Amino acid sequence: MSNYSTENLRTLALVGHGSCGKTSLIEAMLYRSGMISELGSVERGNTMCDNDPLEKQVQHSIRLAVAHIDTAMPDLTPVRIHVLDTPGYADYLGQDLSALDAVKSVAAVIDATKGPELLTIRMMQAAKERNLCRMIVVNKCDAPDADLEKLLEELRETWGPGVLPINLPTKNRTRVIDCFDRDTGESDIMSVEDVHRAFIERIIEEDDEMLEKYLEEGHVDPRLLHPLVTKALREGHVIPVCFTSAKNLIGIRDFMKVIIRHLPSPAEANDALFLNADGTPYKTVPDKNLPLIAQVFKIVNDPYIGKIGVFRVHQGTMKKDSVVYIDDSKKGVKTAHPLILQGKNTAETDSLCPGDIGAIAKIDELRYGSVIHGDPELTGVHMRPIAFPKPMYGLAIKPARRGDESRMSEVLQKMQSEDPTMVVEHDTVLNETVIRGLTDMHVRSILERMLVNFKLEVETSTPSIPYRETIAAQAEGHARHKKQTGGAGQFGEVYLRVEPLPRGAGFEFVDQVKGGAIPYNLIPAVEKGVREVLATGYAAGYPLQDLRVIVYDGKSHPVDSKEVAFVAAGRKAFLDALEKAKPQVLEPIVSVEITAPESYMGDIAGDLASRRGQVSNTESLPGGIMEITGVVPLAELDDYATRLHAITQGTGAWSMTLDSYQPLPAQKQAELAAKFQRKEEVD
């Protein structure tokens, strides 16, 4: 059972680019607090947070991990820090963003030799948009080639004047010195007195009473400033900087001391971004006696335990064997034992209070983003959605073994429940299943986990392009279907006209038959025949769109006219009209949005032009980032994720949405038509 009240909890997500040391920093915190007896390392594959077999193989985080650190420091109240370890590559950005709704503070871990990188900048901006407190940890501060003063200038250029050190390296970077409580001492890079003064003045400048006291007396007791520090953090007015070396255990206790003393508890932090069903804000209160409200931010499908929902308690108490409600369901679910997580390890607990991060198992109704609540009247309450990047890179898959189709569907459903940036598409026209992720690496890791965790092997191929067909001219068609086999025969005759419609208009079927030339009850049969051709195409075998079919005349027989006859006549008449209507193949054109450092913009624009693309706009973003928007044929983007990664050295990101369908170049149309063979109509 947790012995920590809400006031003695802290929730923190570590974000930053790969290899900056997030996992190692958590390992050092666990070691310094006495929760582990041996310091693990990513290279040896024995850290608390990188516990997945694939993570050990590639030696970096792939999935969001949860740990907790119980601290006990002299002169400080014992505090439990719930800390989230996020992946450091854009391939797994969905996992990073998922962490933001579970915490009240974010620490950007910066490699002292590299400075702020694109993913770090992106995550800090996302944290700001989610109203979270932010701080910076400069890791590897003892690296001989690290220019720390230059780095601090770069950090201030990136995130503004509120970026201020709260401690500094000292004794040849083997320790750090606190610059909040004290204004004297030696530092390796800056004046302790100057840093102390700058931080204190930044904190008090928006509080008239404290500022007046400071100006009168020339100093202020730092112990009185906790409310102002918390306020400045909540408002983004200050972004403290700590210095550490996780590998060499430098500054670890000092970092934890900053978390304990200065980061807000769940009772002090900004409100969670919950909404009512109608979109109006819903305010949760971190009171353990109110009805439970918790939000699921991570799903794990454990082969032994089953589905595990990892959540943050925002209000009320999650208790053993209590009845809760999931999302909009009015049916209660028993929770059994809540769990506390420590990497892949779980421990049962009797209760979890506001601010706690825990889990419950074997509740199939849980999904990413689910709200677990203790009152059926809270139906409709949900967290404000996160704007996840759209999964762009796709592979078509099919089971390597025949008979595994249904099992593949089950496994894909489980994988998709874990990852908000994974999409599974099934094209019934092409009979093709495609999985999409953010990058090639993201999709490959999904396939690897399917093989390792679920023993499911699949074959992959490039997804087919969803071409479409249309017509460019008006034309008329006629067909008579007549069949006599001894008994009652089949007879139906149809006259129709086809007309092109604007792009995106779809399909229209219009009945203009007069005088009962075709009985009204057989008109749907004509439409059925037309739609059969719509689905299979004419020129190259792709579905037809953006046209109108007008049936205006026909003939019938009082005995032999039946549905099957007019289905056949409608189909043949439509084919006859299409032959004269200048059929053409359309290709999907997508709108792309690309962000990358400004220095790569020329190469990106040139690459788009080589793909028949057109740039429509460029815009400067903070931090030396540029955004390009344009349109490109989807067929030209098969390898774009890999190409953009190479051009920008992994710093670029992109997304696409369908813009329109446009005629395919004549040569390509001819190639597709040559491969297509229409089945001959048989009377």
Side-chain angles (χ1 to χ4, degrees):
M1 180 175 177
S2 174
N3 295 318
Y4 296 87
S5 64
T6 296
E7 291 72 18
N8 295 329
L9 294 173
R10 304 289 183 272
T11 53
L12 177 70
L14 300 188
V15 303
H17 196 272
S19 301
C20 67
K22 300 184 298 295
T23 303
S24 299
L25 187 58
I26 294 174
E27 197 73 9
M29 293 166 72
L30 289 165
Y31 180 75
R32 278 298 196 201
S33 62
M35 298 193 71
I36 57 175
S37 57
E38 180 183 358
L39 193 65
S41 75
V42 173
E43 293 75 18
R44 295 198 304 271
N46 63 344
T47 63
M48 184 66 71
C49 291
D50 282 359
N51 47 67
D52 186 273
L54 188 55
E55 290 178 321
K56 295 179 181 181
Q57 177 184 327
V58 299
Q59 296 190 355
H60 63 72
S61 301
I62 292 175
R63 296 196 291 173
L64 173 66
V66 181
H68 65 273
I69 297 155
D70 294 340
T71 63
M73 295 190 181
D75 304 323
L76 293 175
T77 303
V79 162
R80 169 169 284 179
I81 305 170
H82 290 288
V83 60
L84 305 188
D85 184 19
T86 64
Y89 295 94
D91 314 81
Y92 314 110
L93 184 59
Q95 300 282 314
D96 297 342
L97 294 171
S98 298
L100 300 184
D101 283 340
V103 298
K104 291 301 184 182
S105 302
V106 164
V109 183
I110 309 288
D111 185 327
T113 64
K114 297 178 180 178
E117 298 174 83
L118 184 61
L119 179 68
T120 314
I121 295 170
R122 189 170 183 176
M123 287 303 297
M124 285 287 271
Q125 179 61 30
K128 180 181 179 182
E129 291 170 359
R130 299 303 280 184
N131 229 7
L132 303 177
C133 302
R134 293 172 294 161
M135 66 178 300
I136 296 169
V137 181
V138 175
N139 194 34
K140 307 179 186 179
C141 69
D142 54 345
D145 55 341
D147 187 338
L148 300 181
E149 289 196 68
K150 182 180 178 182
L151 174 61
L152 283 170
E153 292 176 6
E154 188 177 357
L155 296 177
R156 288 171 66 87
E157 289 174 2
T158 305
W159 289 300
V163 174
L164 295 169
I166 198 168
N167 59 40
L168 291 171
T170 187
K171 298 187 182 302
N172 199 26
R173 304 188 185 184
T174 60
R175 298 181 62 185
V176 300
I177 183 170
D178 172 66
C179 299
F180 182 80
D181 285 327
R182 57 191 302 174
D183 59 2
T184 60
E186 296 295 326
S187 163
D188 294 334
I189 60 169
M190 300 170 72
S191 162
V192 172
E193 182 181 2
D194 291 345
V195 168
H196 170 83
R197 182 185 306 110
F199 199 96
I200 297 299
E201 290 179 353
R202 182 78 179 179
I203 293 298
I204 66 175
E205 65 184 9
E206 293 191 350
D207 185 282
D208 293 339
E209 184 178 338
M210 191 63 73
L211 180 59
E212 184 178 350
K213 177 180 175 65
Y214 177 74
L215 293 174
E216 288 177 357
E217 301 178 8
H219 71 278
V220 63
D221 187 346
R223 291 174 296 181
L224 303 176
L225 295 180
H226 174 76
L228 294 185
V229 175
T230 301
K231 180 174 181 289
L233 281 163
R234 289 169 54 196
E235 295 175 353
H237 189 61
V238 67
I239 302 176
V241 181
C242 294
F243 290 86
T244 66
S245 173
K247 181 179 179 181
N248 295 315
L249 298 174
I250 297 169
I252 304 303
R253 287 189 183 277
D254 303 83
F255 172 47
M256 289 193 286
K257 185 177 178 181
V258 170
I259 295 172
I260 294 167
R261 288 191 61 191
H262 301 302
L263 293 189
S265 73
E268 300 169 310
N270 291 330
D271 293 339
L273 303 176
F274 280 99
L275 303 173
N276 287 299
D278 61 2
T280 57
Y282 180 89
K283 180 179 175 61
T284 56
V285 179
D287 184 334
K288 66 180 181 179
N289 298 313
L290 291 176
L292 172 71
I293 295 180
Q295 189 241 3
V296 175
F297 65 91
K298 176 180 170 69
I299 293 289
V300 179
N301 288 290
D302 188 279
Y304 303 105
I305 302 176
K307 179 183 279 190
I308 301 174
V310 186
F311 58 85
R312 151 73 182 260
V313 179
H314 292 270
Q315 175 180 290
T317 304
M318 171 73 74
K319 297 179 180 179
K320 172 186 173 182
D321 294 331
S322 59
V323 174
V324 299
Y325 303 87
I326 311 297
D327 295 322
D328 297 341
S329 175
K330 297 287 188 179
K331 181 181 178 182
V333 178
K334 197 171 183 179
T335 60
H337 269 285
L339 304 172
I340 285 285
L341 302 178
Q342 192 71 303
K344 68 176 180 179
N345 302 318
T346 62
E348 294 183 353
T349 182
D350 290 336
S351 66
L352 297 168
C353 70
D356 267 323
I357 291 176
I360 46 178
K362 300 179 180 178
I363 298 181
D364 291 336
E365 294 86 347
L366 290 178
R367 56 183 176 80
Y368 170 79
S370 283
V371 172
I372 307 169
H373 53 93
D375 185 347
E377 296 303 315
L378 292 172
T379 293
V381 172
H382 61 283
M383 185 71 80
R384 192 182 82 187
I386 289 175
F388 287 107
K390 294 183 178 179
M392 297 291 104
Y393 183 84
L395 282 178
I397 65 169
K398 62 180 180 180
R401 292 186 296 271
R402 294 187 65 178
D404 271 356
E405 287 80 9
S406 61
R407 184 161 172 266
M408 185 181 82
S409 178
E410 292 174 7
V411 170
L412 287 174
Q413 189 175 6
K414 289 180 178 179
M415 298 293 293
Q416 193 173 9
S417 72
E418 295 185 2
D419 190 342
T421 53
M422 173 189 171
V423 169
V424 180
E425 302 169 348
H426 184 74
D427 192 315
T428 54
V429 175
L430 301 170
N431 192 26
E432 185 175 77
T433 298
V434 176
I435 58 171
R436 295 195 180 276
L438 299 181
T439 63
D440 173 47
M441 184 184 294
H442 182 201
V443 172
R444 295 293 176 185
S445 71
I446 291 169
L447 298 177
E448 184 72 20
R449 291 191 60 236
M450 288 170 63
L451 179 61
V452 172
N453 292 4
F454 298 98
K455 309 296 186 250
L456 179 68
E457 186 176 356
V458 298
E459 296 175 356
T460 64
S461 60
T462 302
S464 303
I465 301 298
Y467 294 110
R468 295 292 184 263
E469 297 181 19
T470 193
I471 57 174
Q474 180 176 307
E476 297 199 351
H478 163 250
R480 173 183 290 180
H481 177 80
K482 186 174 183 180
K483 192 172 184 180
Q484 196 72 39
T485 57
Q490 296 178 14
F491 179 83
E493 189 168 0
V494 172
Y495 292 84
L496 55 75
R497 182 168 57 252
V498 294
E499 300 174 351
L501 292 177
R503 293 284 174 268
F507 168 70
E508 293 180 14
F509 181 84
V510 181
D511 173 15
Q512 290 186 356
V513 176
K514 293 182 173 61
I518 301 175
Y520 75 92
N521 62 309
L522 291 175
I523 295 295
V526 178
E527 182 176 358
K528 181 179 178 182
V530 168
R531 288 188 178 275
E532 286 180 0
V533 179
L534 274 182
T536 57
Y538 178 84
Y542 296 99
L544 283 148
Q545 65 181 37
D546 302 340
L547 74 160
R548 177 186 292 121
V549 174
I550 302 170
V551 180
Y552 62 88
D553 201 1
K555 291 181 181 178
S556 62
H557 186 277
V559 176
D560 294 345
S561 287
K562 48 182 67 79
E563 181 179 343
V564 65
F566 276 94
V567 169
R571 181 172 61 247
K572 294 174 187 177
F574 189 28
L575 288 169
D576 181 47
L578 288 172
E579 185 178 6
K580 311 165 195 171
K582 299 182 181 179
Q584 58 184 204
V585 180
L586 302 175
E587 66 174 334
I589 306 297
V590 295
S591 174
V592 296
E593 185 178 282
I594 305 156
T595 54
E598 187 175 357
S599 57
Y600 299 116
M601 286 299 107
D603 292 337
I604 291 172
D607 184 69
L608 288 178
S610 72
R611 298 171 184 269
R612 296 191 284 133
Q614 296 179 338
V615 174
S616 55
N617 188 46
T618 60
E619 183 179 349
S620 296
L621 301 178
I625 304 298
M626 289 286 289
E627 180 180 87
I628 286 183
T629 54
V631 290
V632 192
L634 178 62
E636 303 291 339
L637 294 175
D638 175 38
D639 64 340
Y640 191 66
T642 304
R643 178 60 180 155
L644 181 65
H645 189 278
I647 290 175
T648 65
Q649 300 181 33
T651 60
W654 73 297
S655 64
M656 68 178 179
T657 54
L658 179 64
D659 181 78
S660 62
Y661 272 89
Q662 299 298 334
L664 193 65
Q667 181 180 350
K668 184 65 177 175
Q669 289 204 42
E671 291 175 6
L672 292 177
K675 298 177 183 177
F676 175 62
Q677 288 187 337
R678 168 170 292 284
K679 293 181 180 179
E680 295 295 326
E681 291 288 334
V682 179
D683 287 333

